[in-house]
Amino acid sequence: MKGSKHMKGSKDMKRKHTEAWGGEPGKEAWGRGSEQAELAEPFNPAWKREWNEPNLSRRQTRKLRNKHMKLIYKYLRSGPSLCSFDKYSQNQNLEIYTKSATLKASSSVVSVESKRYTSAGGMPGIDAMFQSSGFILENVYKGSIILTTADLLKASKNVKADDIKVEVHLSDGRSFDGQIEAYDLYYNIAAIKIHSDTPLPTASLAHLNDSITVDPSHSVKAESFQLRPHANSLDLIPGDLVIALGRFPIEPYSIMAAPGLFSIDRFEHCLLQCKELFTASCITTWCGIGGPLISRSGEVIGISLEIDISTTAFLPINIASIWWEHYKKHGQTQQLWFGMEVTNLYAARLDVLESIIQKFPDVLEGVIVEDVVRGSSAESAGIKQHDVIIQFGGKRIQSFLELFENMWNKVGEAVELVVVRASDDVPLHLSMVVEKEVKKSGYGLYDYDE
């Protein structure tokens, strides 16, 4: 019986490994020495539920990231391993709303490929590094800015930005050489500049409004949370339709679309350090990383940065826009360090939510603290787990993205904030110094020697 159980586990792991690298269920991955189909057991969602999160040290976690990216790099170099989104059945027969939104945004979606200059054996050459997607953010003087993933730079160890060649492929088949303008390994985004004599079609952006009122006396009506025509913001609630887009990296560079639903679920095994990612149930492939996540109206609301078999993690366009505007103004990037893990109040556990609303029935919006980092300014300020931040710098805080923007503009300053705590009868006034991440390196996948 033990032997039978072991064999069953081996098949399960083999199947998961094959699907994770873009292969079809029941088939060996490309280049593995066998292309014959073999019988596979039906997908069992319990695999994900039975996962036990490993208790890894910081050093072990970085080594895991290092190994992960090395495998990606090796796999991408092994042959035509990239797969389009329509390898998944839910992305094949798209309904009219998904098609309309995709066509509205498609002209700004690009394919991006990074290569590195090498001199193996004394002979100069170019090796492929990473294929991804991106979108045209804005037009500048004699050129355009592409926003994409920083995985373009991380797929090979000890490679400098100056040694990387970037190629950008547009929807009309034209290709351009790209220049790395800026990148951030924490947020995992990069800005690529291409030179063009004529303006290119840019994406239409819609900043997210992630504020939802937790009011027991009223039901949430989905129809009230829609993007108004020509508006620059979107009220997004769990269950809303979103669409991950990408462009296939081989001619004719076809557009790819994967519809899904916005979710408050955690991306449990994300390899990125960034804590500001949201999730959606879009099922995509690796060449869609860096592509835009759009609303049903075709506006870009995020950037797809991490995927697993059933989830896409994306960075809200609000954060990417703030990051880019800061770079344009100051000529350098900035990462905001919260010193705590937070989320929107409506996403809190039900028992925690009940204890807060019973004590403070008027607190229906805010940001709840899930954890506080030891030694951080948040800990020094007296912030505790399950505190709800309702004011920051004299402004009412209704959502996580609102708190992020207010903290970004107060970096280096001591700011007063107001929190409510289930164990106290009145709101607490605290003072906190807003910190930024000052370490210039160490966010990379290969910096794990500490």
Side-chain angles (χ1 to χ4, degrees):
M1 295 299 291
K2 289 185 178 179
S4 299
K5 184 177 181 180
H6 175 73
M7 292 296 291
K8 181 179 184 297
S10 298
K11 288 184 178 180
D12 290 350
M13 291 301 295
K14 186 176 183 180
R15 175 185 171 85
K16 288 196 292 181
H17 178 77
T18 301
E19 291 185 337
W21 291 112
E24 297 181 5
K27 291 186 178 181
E28 292 282 2
W30 191 94
R32 301 283 176 169
S34 174
E35 297 180 356
Q36 296 181 350
E38 58 184 40
L39 295 177
E41 297 177 354
F43 172 68
N44 180 7
W47 284 338
K48 184 175 181 180
R49 294 195 298 270
E50 292 174 356
W51 174 273
N52 293 320
E53 185 69 28
N55 185 17
L56 300 178
S57 67
R58 184 180 180 185
R59 178 186 178 89
Q60 290 172 322
T61 302
R62 287 179 173 177
K63 284 186 176 181
L64 178 62
R65 294 192 183 102
N66 179 27
K67 182 178 180 181
H68 175 76
M69 289 307 297
K70 281 185 176 180
L71 287 172
I72 294 174
Y73 178 47
K74 180 179 180 181
Y75 180 68
L76 290 176
R77 295 183 64 192
S78 66
S81 56
L82 297 175
C83 296
S84 179
F85 291 1
D86 60 10
K87 74 177 289 253
Y88 297 107
S89 59
Q90 75 175 54
N91 300 331
Q92 292 174 0
N93 300 310
L94 302 175
E95 40 78 32
I96 187 62
Y97 297 107
T98 297
K99 290 180 178 178
S100 297
T102 298
L103 292 174
K104 177 179 178 179
S106 64
S107 60
S108 66
V109 182
V110 302
S111 172
V112 188
E113 181 179 9
S114 63
K115 302 177 181 180
R116 64 171 182 170
Y117 294 99
T118 63
S119 57
M123 297 294 293
I126 297 179
D127 280 350
M129 285 179 57
F130 201 84
Q131 290 90 0
S132 65
S133 297
F135 61 93
I136 304 172
L137 178 65
E138 64 182 25
N139 289 311
V140 294
Y141 178 68
K142 289 187 177 181
S144 301
I145 298 296
I146 310 295
L147 203 57
T148 184
T149 173
D151 284 341
L152 291 166
L153 318 178
K154 298 188 295 186
S156 187
K157 187 176 181 179
N158 298 327
V159 177
K160 297 180 181 179
D162 294 339
D163 296 330
I164 297 176
K165 173 182 172 64
V166 179
E167 293 182 1
V168 178
H169 308 287
L170 306 188
S171 60
D172 57 10
R174 287 184 294 168
S175 298
F176 295 86
D177 289 333
Q179 173 187 346
I180 301 171
E181 180 71 19
Y183 64 93
D184 192 298
L185 299 181
Y186 175 74
Y187 296 121
N188 199 37
I189 53 178
I192 308 297
K193 183 177 181 180
I194 60 176
H195 295 279
S196 175
D197 295 331
T198 58
L200 299 177
T202 59
S204 175
L205 309 183
H207 285 200
L208 291 179
N209 175 15
D210 59 332
S211 172
I212 299 176
T213 300
V214 184
D215 190 347
S217 62
H218 294 85
S219 61
V220 177
K221 295 182 179 181
E223 61 268 21
S224 65
F225 293 91
Q226 299 298 329
L227 182 69
R228 295 179 295 276
H230 309 297
N232 60 357
S233 66
L234 170 70
D235 297 319
L236 191 68
I237 64 171
D240 279 352
L241 172 68
V242 294
I243 308 161
L245 300 184
R247 190 163 292 283
F248 197 65
I250 300 175
E251 290 187 89
Y253 306 114
S254 301
I255 190 69
M256 304 179 293
L261 303 178
F262 173 59
S263 172
I264 62 174
D265 292 340
R266 299 284 182 163
F267 197 99
E268 295 181 359
H269 314 303
C270 184
L271 294 172
L272 303 176
Q273 289 189 350
C274 182
K275 302 297 184 183
E276 290 83 359
L277 301 180
F278 287 17
T279 60
S281 62
C282 307
I283 303 179
T284 64
T285 59
W286 282 107
C287 56
I289 296 293
L293 192 92
I294 65 172
S295 68
R296 65 184 299 164
S297 298
E299 280 78 11
V300 174
I301 60 175
I303 309 171
S304 301
L305 293 179
E306 183 71 284
I307 62 173
D308 65 12
I309 197 170
S310 62
T311 310
T312 292
F314 67 94
L315 184 72
I317 197 63
N318 311 37
I319 296 177
S321 297
I322 292 173
W323 173 85
W324 175 243
E325 291 301 323
H326 183 275
Y327 173 79
K328 290 196 297 183
K329 182 177 181 179
H330 301 283
Q332 61 182 2
T333 63
Q334 172 178 288
Q335 301 91 30
L336 179 63
W337 191 46
F338 276 74
M340 52 185 168
E341 291 191 20
V342 298
T343 189
N344 285 310
L345 179 60
Y346 70 82
R349 291 201 329 260
L350 185 60
D351 58 327
V352 176
L353 202 55
E354 182 186 38
S355 65
I356 294 170
I357 292 180
Q358 284 181 345
K359 183 65 70 71
F360 301 96
D362 294 332
V363 177
L364 306 176
E365 296 172 316
V367 174
I368 188 166
V369 179
E370 296 187 312
D371 194 18
V372 179
V373 179
R374 291 185 179 181
S376 66
S377 62
E379 183 186 48
S380 301
I383 297 176
K384 297 182 179 180
Q385 186 183 40
H386 297 159
D387 282 356
V388 179
I389 302 172
I390 59 174
Q391 285 188 25
F392 185 88
K395 296 182 179 180
R396 178 70 182 269
I397 296 299
Q398 298 178 319
S399 69
F400 164 75
L401 290 175
E402 192 175 37
L403 175 64
F404 181 93
E405 183 173 356
N406 280 274
M407 290 185 69
W408 185 281
N409 295 326
K410 298 291 186 180
V411 167
E413 300 180 21
V415 182
E416 183 180 275
L417 64 159
V418 179
V419 303
V420 295
R421 186 176 297 166
S423 60
D424 291 75
D425 296 327
V426 296
L428 305 175
H429 293 257
L430 307 175
S431 180
M432 171 183 170
V433 176
V434 181
E435 298 177 287
K436 68 176 180 179
E437 178 57 60
V438 296
K439 190 176 182 182
K440 299 303 180 183
S441 63
Y443 287 123
L445 301 182
Y446 304 103
D447 180 18
Y448 54 78
D449 293 327
E450 293 182 4

